[in-house]
Amino acid sequence: MKYCLLMNSMDIKFIIPEFFFLFSVFFLIFFLLSFSVSKIYKYPLFINVSIWLSILNFIFLFFLYLNNLNIKKILFNNIFTICYGISYLKGIVILFTILSLIVTISYLKKEQINDFEYVVLLIFVTFGILLLISSNDAILTYLSIELQSLSLFVLVTFKKNTIYSTEAGIKYFILGSLASILLLFGISLLYFTFGTINFQELAILLIYDLTFDFYSFLLIISFLFIFLGIAFKLNIAPLHMWLPDIYEGSPASVTLYMAVVPKISFFFILIKFLFLTFTGLFYEVQNILIFLSILSVIIGSFMGLRQKKLKRLFAYSTINHVGFLLLAIASGTKEGIQSFIIYLFIYMVMSLSVWVILISLRSKKKNILSIFLTDYSSLFHINPIFAFIFSIILLSMAGIPPLLGFWAKFLIFVSTINSSIYIGSVCVILISAISAFYYLRLVKLLYFNNKFNLLLISYLQVSKENSLILSSCFIFIFINMIYPNFLLIFANKILFSFI
């Protein structure tokens, strides 16, 4: 395949958002570097300035993507895609990135992290996610994944005053490098077999050229390697072992971002591989997807029961939710993908809410975050509103009716049962009842523990920004619980834009 990346004016005008974002990032870096090392200005700290400039940059970018909603194009020799659904997904990524940055402000101030490089790295992660969503070529996919992975490696180790952060960064770097090797080997094998790594061209070849047994074998092997690389990034069991340690050792603001934003791009590329590129292989690997979804729910449920630290608990909770999302994909139907989109968006909102609460509750005496489950004992007696919102979000994550999390899981089970995945649906339903226990246990600690927690009796005031974001997430959950039509329409628009 010959790659011709000469940009004509017709192609360039469709990627104005990416060009604007890239140039604004370079301008931001130049501005921060110029003044932060200036002796005249007494080496000022620009962390807050860099955050607010980045937020302003993302707001402009958000509106630029809204302007591209009605455009459907494949650019630069079929390696870059723009359509309604992709622009919508990019808008969601930017929105949650802005919210994550706002939450980060108070956290960095209290943790005394004053390096503006933190914000620059987070911007590069986001840029990698945006490129990954638009990628229509394996090389661009790999480079996008590496851009966000390398930046995350550094962000995980950003808390220099604790050895846990360094340990988490080393683990993430070593295991992430292994995942990248698997992904790159799968891509290389794919190119060796078919002579192209463009998704659109591969989809055409795989329709007509699956008659050769040798090629079919190489295709399956290359797909498995690519799937393993993506499964690691999505922390699908059994490739999940790194996640609890990374969540525990990373700065809480980095954990918030990792838990909420990157998954949307990796799930999107997985769906693109399964339903648009390797379409003929889906029913060959459907049982594997069902098995991995059940395994993820089992590990997320049973291992979560043993956890005493909140970060590790929500790491296993993430694995549990990934199992549900994978089960929705395994249904292989439009209803399944629609339920997947709804569940993913609801999960992102609930996860953002949980991490805002974790970051906001900080001891006034020791100026540290609450780490253990018991640190939240009797929170209701200290801050009833916070405890109420926290408990509603936890019950929604557990899938207690009639909360929003229940309806999201219900839609997944309807789609899987309609696809005749009876055993998988029953297994996940039974196991998810077990996972509800650790959510209910935490709710019990919030309300019914008789002993007041001395750590939380006096805590620092929650910032106005965090309170506003948490209230907005709670209102979103409450309104869509009563009137879920917005989510159904939203999922349908994204789904049918790819058909």
Side-chain angles (χ1 to χ4, degrees):
M1 177 182 176
K2 295 181 180 179
Y3 287 91
C4 180
L5 298 181
L6 294 176
M7 301 183 183
N8 56 59
S9 58
M10 295 299 293
D11 283 352
I12 289 176
K13 72 178 183 180
F14 295 116
I15 60 166
I16 288 176
E18 283 74 18
F19 270 112
F20 165 78
F21 187 57
L22 204 56
F23 284 123
S24 61
V25 170
F26 287 142
F27 171 78
L28 179 64
I29 294 172
F30 176 77
F31 168 76
L32 295 173
L33 285 175
S34 299
F35 286 94
S36 62
V37 296
S38 173
K39 188 176 180 180
I40 299 173
Y41 295 99
K42 297 181 181 180
Y43 309 106
L45 300 176
F46 275 111
I47 183 65
N48 283 343
V49 174
S50 62
I51 290 175
W52 285 113
L53 284 176
S54 302
I55 291 172
L56 183 63
N57 182 20
F58 281 121
I59 291 172
F60 283 127
L61 187 65
F62 180 81
F63 286 107
L64 285 173
Y65 280 128
L66 287 182
N67 190 53
N68 281 352
L69 285 178
N70 297 322
I71 298 173
K72 191 169 186 178
K73 293 282 184 179
I74 302 178
L75 310 172
F76 311 125
N77 259 17
N78 299 331
I79 69 170
F80 195 87
T81 310
I82 300 173
C83 70
Y84 178 89
I86 286 175
S87 297
Y88 229 129
L89 291 177
K90 288 180 177 181
I92 293 171
V93 168
I94 293 168
L95 175 62
F96 279 94
T97 302
I98 291 172
L99 296 175
S100 301
L101 282 170
I102 294 173
V103 176
T104 299
I105 295 172
S106 61
Y107 175 80
L108 295 181
K109 181 179 179 181
K110 291 168 184 175
E111 291 290 334
Q112 297 181 351
I113 297 175
N114 298 313
D115 303 314
F116 68 83
E117 290 85 358
Y118 176 96
V119 181
V120 174
L121 289 168
L122 200 65
I123 291 172
F124 280 122
V125 177
T126 307
F127 188 59
I129 293 171
L130 298 176
L131 287 180
L132 182 58
I133 291 173
S134 281
S135 64
N136 196 43
D137 183 274
I139 288 296
L140 182 59
T141 298
Y142 177 76
L143 293 176
S144 304
I145 291 173
E146 287 306 296
L147 177 60
Q148 54 179 297
S149 297
L150 291 172
S151 301
L152 281 173
F153 293 156
V154 182
L155 283 172
V156 168
T157 62
F158 221 82
K159 201 172 180 181
K160 304 180 184 70
N161 59 349
T162 170
I163 193 173
Y164 295 108
S165 182
T166 306
E167 179 188 356
I170 293 172
K171 286 182 180 178
Y172 192 31
F173 175 73
I174 294 172
L175 295 176
S177 301
L178 177 61
S180 298
I181 290 170
L182 294 174
L183 182 63
L184 189 58
F185 182 76
I187 293 171
S188 303
L189 196 58
L190 198 63
Y191 183 75
F192 169 77
T193 307
F194 294 101
T196 181
I197 45 178
N198 184 272
F199 297 155
Q200 199 171 28
E201 295 176 2
L202 282 170
I204 296 171
L205 286 172
L206 296 179
I207 292 173
Y208 299 105
D209 289 339
L210 282 178
T211 54
F212 302 100
D213 293 337
F214 179 67
Y215 287 159
S216 300
F217 173 75
L218 290 179
L219 171 66
I220 293 171
I221 296 298
S222 62
F223 172 79
L224 287 177
F225 275 105
I226 293 171
F227 178 77
L228 287 174
I230 297 174
F232 174 87
K233 302 296 183 180
L234 288 172
N235 45 267
I236 297 171
L239 301 175
H240 68 283
M241 302 300 293
W242 59 277
L243 191 69
D245 293 332
I246 305 305
Y247 270 34
E248 184 181 10
S250 304
S253 57
V254 177
T255 310
L256 180 153
Y257 186 83
M258 289 177 64
V260 175
V261 182
K263 284 183 176 55
I264 189 171
S265 61
F266 288 113
F267 269 118
F268 177 70
I269 207 71
L270 177 62
I271 290 173
K272 186 181 286 188
F273 273 127
L274 289 171
F275 296 105
L276 299 179
T277 304
F278 298 98
T279 310
L281 284 179
F282 175 76
Y283 291 103
E284 303 292 332
V285 299
Q286 185 180 30
N287 290 330
I288 297 175
L289 295 175
I290 295 170
F291 171 75
L292 292 178
S293 67
I294 296 172
L295 184 62
S296 297
V297 174
I298 289 173
I299 291 175
S301 300
F302 284 96
M303 294 301 293
L305 295 174
R306 303 174 54 188
Q307 304 308 312
K308 296 180 181 179
K309 294 182 178 180
L310 209 61
K311 277 190 173 184
R312 297 184 71 89
L313 172 66
F314 283 109
Y316 285 106
S317 171
T318 299
I319 297 167
N320 185 22
H321 288 294
V322 166
F324 279 94
L325 291 166
L326 201 60
L327 186 66
I329 295 173
S331 66
T333 61
K334 294 177 183 178
E335 292 77 12
I337 302 302
Q338 181 188 22
S339 64
F340 162 83
I341 295 170
I342 293 172
Y343 193 100
L344 179 60
F345 189 69
I346 293 172
Y347 162 76
M348 291 173 71
V349 174
M350 293 190 300
S351 186
L352 175 65
S353 306
V354 165
W355 287 103
V356 170
I357 292 172
L358 265 61
I359 288 174
S360 300
L361 292 178
R362 178 181 290 268
S363 167
K364 189 173 183 180
K365 183 178 180 181
K366 298 182 179 180
N367 193 26
I368 58 172
L369 293 179
S370 303
I371 299 173
F372 296 93
L373 299 181
T374 52
D375 293 340
Y376 295 85
S377 299
S378 302
L379 179 62
F380 172 74
H381 299 285
I382 304 162
N383 192 329
I385 297 176
F386 237 62
F388 175 73
I389 294 176
F390 197 10
S391 59
I392 291 297
I393 294 167
L394 290 171
L395 293 174
S396 182
M397 281 186 158
I400 304 297
L403 297 174
L404 195 58
F406 166 77
W407 292 113
K409 292 181 179 180
F410 177 76
L411 289 174
I412 289 178
F413 291 135
V414 168
S415 65
T416 53
I417 290 171
N418 288 339
S419 300
S420 302
I421 308 176
Y422 301 117
I423 297 176
S425 301
V426 171
C427 289
V428 172
I429 290 171
L430 293 176
I431 299 164
S432 62
I434 298 171
S435 68
F437 173 78
Y438 54 72
Y439 295 113
L440 296 174
R441 179 180 62 180
L442 189 50
V443 173
K444 180 253 181 187
L445 285 173
L446 297 177
Y447 283 89
F448 305 113
N449 202 340
N450 293 325
K451 295 182 180 180
F452 277 83
N453 185 350
L454 297 177
L455 182 64
L456 283 178
I457 284 180
S458 61
Y459 56 89
L460 293 174
Q461 184 178 0
V462 180
S463 67
K464 294 179 182 178
E465 295 86 359
N466 290 8
S467 300
L468 182 61
I469 291 173
L470 185 60
S471 303
S472 302
C473 291
F474 177 75
I475 292 170
F476 173 85
I477 292 171
F478 183 76
I479 291 176
N480 284 279
M481 178 184 71
I482 300 172
Y483 187 76
N485 286 357
F486 164 76
L487 288 175
L488 293 171
I489 295 170
F490 164 76
N492 271 327
K493 283 186 175 181
I494 293 179
L495 174 63
F496 286 102
S497 69
F498 296 106
I499 297 175

